[in-house]
């Protein structure tokens, strides 16, 4: 680490942990608000109609200056521009990270993530559009002449989580097609879907960047067999399409080239729902909605590329994470979208952030000197308030929260939405304000409790407060704002990669399990446990399972 970076890190850590130069402890978040009536105005930022409020964190002027200096020292802008320009920023796989090009219009400059691969991106988009129109218009039908009414997307990880999340977020109840997703290799998932699917009306998309992922290919073979039972061996493939970078493997699987929608190896799985991997979205949501989603992401791309660091939403969100993880040592973060349609957002962010940022070495292969990505978890509010929010309010370890609030709903039940918003705002307010023992006593006295009962319960009812959160507000949840929101988090991940000097675009950590599964699969098939091949626990568990599966 160069001197500049070491100094910048030292300043950030000092702002978080050390007493101030005059010996006083850093201000609490409550004190920062008390000292600055304009704090919300100063610490909330906009991109188009999106508002990001980071005022409910302990980032004060000194911390913000240190964080911005860290961003400069880490070369965040240079690394952002290198990514947009198509440099091989994914150094361990020697690949570009050009997901921004997937939503750049024809003619967009290279510096704005466009030109390098524009022709192939738009060729695939054109084919996806034509395919969607043919399916919706009925020109493209099933082998028996029925219209397709269901899409089954088979894929896992980035070939599943983004599309699942987006369909749930944006589906129009009047949509002519229903999208279902088969991710897990667990056959119970397939059994649950079988009941709702008619093979003569089902279009199957095999979504796999590599077209070698064991779970996806096992499911693809299973589903192809199911199609063949009704349609005949020769017709099964006419109900299938492939979304992949591996054209040869798609052909080997029997999917004709006109049904293969390609994308480049410069698109990482967790950044891929804007590519051919999004075909289930175009079919289920309609082409206009899919295009608006790309436009929303593009708007966030332009904001990210053109806005100074100090007002740049992805940069500020990333710096807030650095503050919490590194300066304050908080290893978890909760995500609470106050919109049931965003219920799969936390799962998508888990892959996007934890697969990208859970890294142990820097770009040069040296140990990362500080903690990297936090554990991300979440659920929609207000339901989450009735499960893990107890811990967030009262456990000794603070957990920063991302609140996502949508001002206007797409349903007519206004009072429900007011209640929802009130709960979201109240959670963030309560985390900050807390409730001290005197307030608890006063409250209990007013409710008629006697002094003995009060003293027995008072500490249980205290909230420490001063707990950090950030809040994103969107006017409505629709394709454009949804695209903005997801791109915001994508760019936050890229910025954190630069700040921690790690590669956020590879995922070597998932390889070991894949390798070890093969010999275990063989032993499950052959029903033999080879001595000395595994640790004692794995051998014992394998023996136990084989005993319990005595019949196969
Ligand atoms: O196992 C991790 C992973 O490689 C993810 O990064 C990826 O999104 C997922 O598997 C699926 O891979 P593929 O799209 O190649 O089937």
């Amino acid at each position: 680490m160069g001197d500049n970076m070491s100094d910048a890190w030292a300043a950030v850590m000092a702002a978080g942990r050390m007493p101030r130069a005059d010996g006083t402890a850093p201000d609490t978040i409550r004190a920062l608000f008390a000292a600055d009536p304009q704090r919300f105005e100063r610490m909330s930022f906009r991109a188009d109609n999106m508002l990001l409020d980071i005022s409910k964190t302990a980032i004060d002027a000194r911390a913000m200056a240190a964080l911005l200096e860290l961003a400069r020292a880490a070369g965040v802008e240079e690394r952002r521009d290198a990514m947009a320009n198509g440099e091989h920023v994914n150094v361990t796989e020697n690949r570009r990270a050009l997901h921004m090009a997937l939503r750049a219009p024809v003619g967009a400059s290279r510096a704005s993530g466009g030109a390098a691969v524009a022709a192939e991106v738009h060729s695939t988009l054109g084919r996806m559009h034509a395919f969607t129109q043919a399916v919706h218009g009925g020109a493209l039908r099933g082998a028996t002449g029925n219209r397709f009414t269901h899409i089954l997307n088979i894929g896992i990880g980035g070939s599943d989580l983004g599309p699942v999340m987006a369909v749930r977020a944006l589906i129009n109840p009047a949509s002519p097609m229903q999208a279902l997703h088969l991710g897990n290799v667990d056959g119970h998932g397939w059994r649950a879907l079988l009941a709702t699917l008619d093979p003569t009306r089902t279009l199957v998309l095999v979504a796999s960047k590599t077209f070698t992922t064991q779970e996806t290919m096992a499911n693809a073979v299973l589903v192809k067999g199911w199609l063949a039972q009704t349609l005949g061996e020769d017709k099964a493939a006419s109900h299938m399409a492939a979304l992949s970078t591996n054209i040869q493997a798609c052909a080997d699987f029997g999917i004709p080239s006109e049904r293969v929608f390609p994308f480049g190896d410069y698109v990482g799985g967790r950044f891929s729902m804007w590519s051919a991997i999004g075909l289930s979205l175009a079919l289920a949501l309609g082409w206009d909605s899919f295009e608006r989603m790309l436009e929303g992401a593009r708007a966030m791309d332009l904001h990210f590329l053109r806005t100074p660091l100090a007002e740049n939403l992805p940069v500020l969100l990333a710096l807030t994470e650095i503050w919490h993880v590194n300066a304050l040592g908080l290893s978890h973060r909760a995500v609470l979208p106050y919109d049931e349609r965003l219920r799969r957002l936390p799962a998508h962010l888990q892959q996007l952030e934890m697969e990208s940022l859970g890294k142990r070495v820097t770009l040069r292969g040296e140990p990362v000197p500080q903690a990297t990505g936090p554990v991300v978890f979440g659920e929609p509010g207000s339901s989450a308030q009735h499960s893990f929010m107890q811990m967030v309010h009262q456990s000794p370890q603070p957990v920063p929260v991302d609140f996502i609030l949508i001002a206007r709903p797409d349903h007519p039940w206004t009072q429900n939405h007011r209640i929802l918003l009130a709960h979201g705002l109240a959670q963030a307010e309560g985390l900050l304000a807390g409730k001290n023992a005197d307030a608890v006593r006063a409250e209990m006295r007013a409710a008629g409790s006697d002094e003995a009962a009060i003293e027995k319960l008072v500490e249980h009812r205290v909230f420490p407060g001063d707990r950090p959160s950030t809040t994103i507000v969107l006017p409505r949840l629709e394709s454009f704002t949804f695209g903005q929101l997801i791109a915001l988090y994508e760019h936050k991940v890229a910025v954190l990669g630069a700040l921690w000097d790690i590669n956020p675009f590879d995922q070597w950590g998932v390889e070991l399990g894949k390798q070890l599964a093969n010999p275990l699969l063989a032993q499950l098939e052959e029903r033999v446990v080879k001595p000395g091949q595994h640790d004692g626990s794995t051998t014992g568990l394998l023996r136990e399972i084989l005993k319990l599966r005595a019949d196969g």
Side-chain angles (χ1 to χ4, degrees), residues 187-197:
H188 296 103
W190 172 232
R191 191 168 71 183
L193 291 176
L194 256 181
T196 57
L197 289 173

Side-chain angles (χ1 to χ4, degrees), residues 11-258:
V12 169
M13 303 304 262
R17 295 227 175 100
M18 310 286 191
R20 305 207 169 285
D22 63 4
T24 57
D27 289 326
T28 63
I29 310 174
R30 288 179 296 229
L32 291 170
F33 273 101
D36 179 5
Q38 298 299 308
R39 182 167 171 81
F40 172 76
E41 284 72 20
R42 267 190 246 292
M43 296 289 281
S44 55
F45 303 86
R46 287 178 194 278
D48 296 286
N49 285 334
M50 175 189 283
L51 178 117
L52 169 67
D53 173 22
I54 58 169
S55 64
K56 289 198 191 83
T57 66
I59 299 174
D60 60 6
R62 168 181 150 171
M64 184 56 95
L67 288 163
L68 288 168
E69 187 47 40
L70 179 71
R72 282 187 280 271
V76 162
E77 286 168 307
E78 291 77 7
R79 281 179 59 166
R80 172 198 66 192
D81 295 343
M83 174 170 76
N85 270 312
E87 288 178 31
H88 288 218
V89 292
N90 178 355
V91 290
T92 58
E93 295 179 312
N94 194 23
R95 287 180 182 159
R96 299 168 287 179
L98 277 175
H99 42 281
M100 275 193 275
L102 300 171
R103 49 247 186 171
V106 182
S109 71
R110 207 178 148 96
S112 72
V117 291
E120 62 193 66
V121 165
H122 283 276
S123 152
T124 298
L125 281 173
R127 289 188 50 221
M128 288 165 68
H129 187 189
F131 186 75
T132 303
Q133 281 184 319
V135 172
H136 288 175
L140 196 84
R141 291 171 183 246
T144 63
N146 283 342
R147 277 181 180 251
F148 289 118
T149 54
H150 288 71
I151 308 140
L152 177 65
N153 189 83
I154 304 176
I156 200 163
S159 300
D160 175 62
L161 291 165
V164 171
M165 164 186 68
V167 162
R168 304 262 190 293
L170 299 175
I171 194 72
N172 172 349
S175 169
M177 297 196 81
Q178 205 186 333
L180 301 164
H181 296 83
L182 182 59
N184 202 328
V185 72
D186 180 1
H188 296 103
W190 172 232
R191 191 168 71 183
L193 291 176
L194 256 181
T196 57
L197 289 173
D198 169 356
T200 69
R201 297 180 184 278
T202 302
L203 180 61
V204 176
L205 309 179
V206 185
S208 176
K209 179 175 170 176
T210 55
F211 228 74
T212 58
T213 302
Q214 189 175 40
E215 298 98 310
T216 298
M217 297 324 296
N219 278 335
V221 168
L222 197 70
V223 173
K224 196 177 180 195
W226 168 74
L227 287 172
Q229 271 171 21
T230 305
L231 308 172
E233 290 289 339
D234 55 331
K235 295 277 169 34
S238 70
H239 278 231
M240 301 184 92
L243 326 172
S244 185
T245 60
N246 189 346
I247 311 304
Q248 184 56 50
C250 299
D252 294 346
F253 187 80
I255 298 183
S257 60
E258 68 275 12

Side-chain angles (χ1 to χ4, degrees), residues 498-530:
L499 292 165
W500 282 318
D501 195 27
I502 57 179
N503 182 0
F505 303 116
D506 66 11
Q507 55 284 318
W508 298 104
V510 297
E511 293 305 319
L512 180 61
K514 291 184 193 174
Q515 283 168 6
L516 293 177
N518 284 330
L520 284 162
L521 175 61
Q523 287 166 63
L524 283 165
E525 283 165 357
E526 293 159 16
R527 304 189 51 78
V528 288
V529 183
K530 297 196 179 130

